[in-house]
Amino acid sequence: MPASPGAAVGEIVFDSARAAAAGRPVILVRPETNPDDLPGMIAAQGILTSHGGKTSHAAVVARGMGKTCVCGAEELRIDLAAETVTVNGTVLRAGDVLSLDGTTGRVYPGAVPVHPSPVVRYFEGELSDGDDPLLAAVQRLMTHADQVRRLGVHANADTAADAARARRFGATGIGLCRTEHMFLGERRELVERLILAEDDTERDAALAALLPLQRDDFVALFEAMDGLPVTVRLIDPPLHEFLPALEDLTARVATAEALGEDPGRDAVLLAAVRRMHESNPMLGLRGVRLGLVVPGLFAMQVRAIAEAAALRVAAGGDPRPEIMVPLVGAVPELETVRAEAESVLRGIEGIPPIRIGTMIEVPRAALTAGDIAQSAEFFSFGTNDLTQMTWGFSRDDVEGAFFGRYLSLGIFTCRRSRPSTATASASSSGSPSSGAAPPGRT
C-alpha cells in the first residue's frame, strides 16, 4: 500500500530505539507501528510495515511528517526476534539496504538512486524557479493560485521543525497539533508517573515536571508559525499507549517470581495496568474523559500554551494559539473543561486572545453540534474517529479484513439512494412533502 509518497533508502532496522540512535540512513521495518515507535519513525528515512493500510498508525503519522511509507506488505514475514524479513524465499537481515517507493508501494532490495524533486528543493531553498522549467511552471501556477484562492490550507504539525516546513510549503496555519506525540520517548516515564500517581503529591510532582517541557515545545511552535493560527489539541491518547503492555509485564513478573527474584517496580506496574486495562481503549478513558478524570492534566497544558504565548509576545512575536478539547460528546464536558481553562488563562498576564473549541469526532457530537456550538468558539472535524465510530469498524483492521470485498461489491461507492415513497409525497395528515424540513428540524 503506497501510504506516504516519496523515496527512501537505508539500512534495515527492526527496533525503533535503534533507528533513533542509528545516526545513519535507516528504514524502520515493523509488522505495524504504535506511538512508542515515534522516535524511530522520526529518525528513519522511511517506514515499511507488513500490516495496516492508508489509515493505519504508520500511514497517518508518516504522511503528517512527510515521511516515505509503505504499509500492508502482507507477503513479508517479519521476525523481530531473529531480526529478519523473508519474502518469496529471499531473507534480508538487519543492516541490509532496502529502498522504498512510497508513491507506488514498491520495495527494492539494495540501494536505488533517489533525488529530491525540484519542487521540494525549491521550497527547501536549494533552487530558484529559473533553474528548472518545470519548477518555473509550478511557481507560476502557485502564485496565481495564491492570488485568487478563497481557502487556506492548515497543516498537521507537532514540532517546530514540522511547522517550519509546512510554512515553507505554503501552509496558512497549523490546524492540528497532537500534544500526545510530545509525551513519547523519554517523557513517557513522566506521563506514566502521572497516570499511576496514588495521591495529589505524586500527581502534582509529575505535572510540575511536564509543564516546562510543554511550554518550551509551544514556544518553538509559536515562533515557527508567528502571525499564523496554531490549533493545539489537548492530550488525547488511549491509556495503553503510555503504559507498558500487559503481556510484557505479566511475562517479566512471572519470570522473576519463577527465578525467586523480586519483580520490584514491575509488580507495582502490573497491578496498576491490570486495574486500568480496557477491552477497547479507543472507546475508553481518553480525550476529554482523561482530562476530567486526571486532575490538573488539562490545566497544565493550558498553562503551558498560555505561558508560551506570553513569552512570545514579550519577545515581540505574534502568537495565535487556539485550544481544542478532544472527543467531546456532551455540552457539560466542554463547559467543565472550558471553565477550568478560562480560570487558568485569567491568571496569566500578557497573553493574546485564545479561542477554545472542540473536535467533532463522535457521532453524538455531530448530531448535537448545534448545542455544543453554544459553548465552543470553533469546531474541527476528526474524520478518522468519526468515520470509524459511525461505521463501527477499526481503521487499523478493516483494510486487510473486508475492504477489498466491499469495494468489489460496490458497497463503498457513491450511489444515489432510491426515493422513499414516505417522503416523496405529502400525506393527508399534513406531513411535509419532499424537500421540506419537518417542524423543529434543520
Side-chain angles (χ1 to χ4, degrees), residues 238-419:
L239 275 188
H240 71 284
E241 295 182 356
F242 287 100
L243 296 174
L246 177 61
E247 297 81 3
D248 293 343
L249 276 176
T250 302
R252 293 208 299 265
V253 171
T255 299
E257 291 176 344
L259 296 174
E261 300 173 353
D262 181 7
R265 179 170 171 75
D266 281 345
V268 177
L269 281 174
L270 179 58
V273 169
R274 281 175 173 165
R275 184 177 66 251
M276 306 181 77
H277 178 71
E278 296 177 303
S279 298
N280 192 339
M282 292 302 292
L283 298 179
L285 185 57
R286 52 173 290 214
V288 66
R289 305 160 192 169
L290 182 65
L292 293 176
V293 168
V294 180
L297 176 57
F298 278 1
M300 178 276 293
Q301 289 195 290
V302 171
R303 179 172 296 279
I305 294 167
E307 289 181 355
L311 288 171
R312 287 298 305 145
V313 170
D318 181 18
R320 300 185 184 184
E322 300 177 342
I323 296 172
M324 182 162 63
V325 184
L327 216 74
V328 164
V331 174
E333 290 177 319
L334 179 59
E335 289 179 338
T336 302
V337 174
R338 182 169 178 173
E340 180 183 37
E342 290 176 339
S343 175
V344 172
L345 295 177
R346 283 194 295 270
I348 301 174
E349 297 182 356
I351 61 174
I354 300 178
R355 298 197 302 166
I356 300 174
T358 188
M359 180 174 277
I360 303 298
E361 51 190 328
V362 301
R364 190 181 192 280
L367 295 173
T368 61
D371 295 329
I372 295 175
Q374 303 304 312
S375 299
E377 295 179 272
F378 68 90
F379 279 168
S380 291
F381 288 85
T383 53
N384 284 337
D385 274 337
L386 187 57
T387 300
Q388 67 179 346
M389 289 185 194
T390 300
W391 280 91
F393 56 48
S394 167
R395 67 180 186 182
D396 295 316
D397 302 322
V398 292
E399 287 187 75
F402 62 84
F403 255 36
R405 178 62 173 161
Y406 267 46
L407 289 171
S408 68
L409 292 173
I411 292 174
F412 286 152
T413 59
C414 291
R415 292 195 244 174
R416 181 172 297 179
S417 301
R418 294 189 181 94

Side-chain angles (χ1 to χ4, degrees), residues 101-112:
D101 186 339
T103 304
T104 65
R106 291 191 176 96
V107 182
Y108 303 91
V112 175

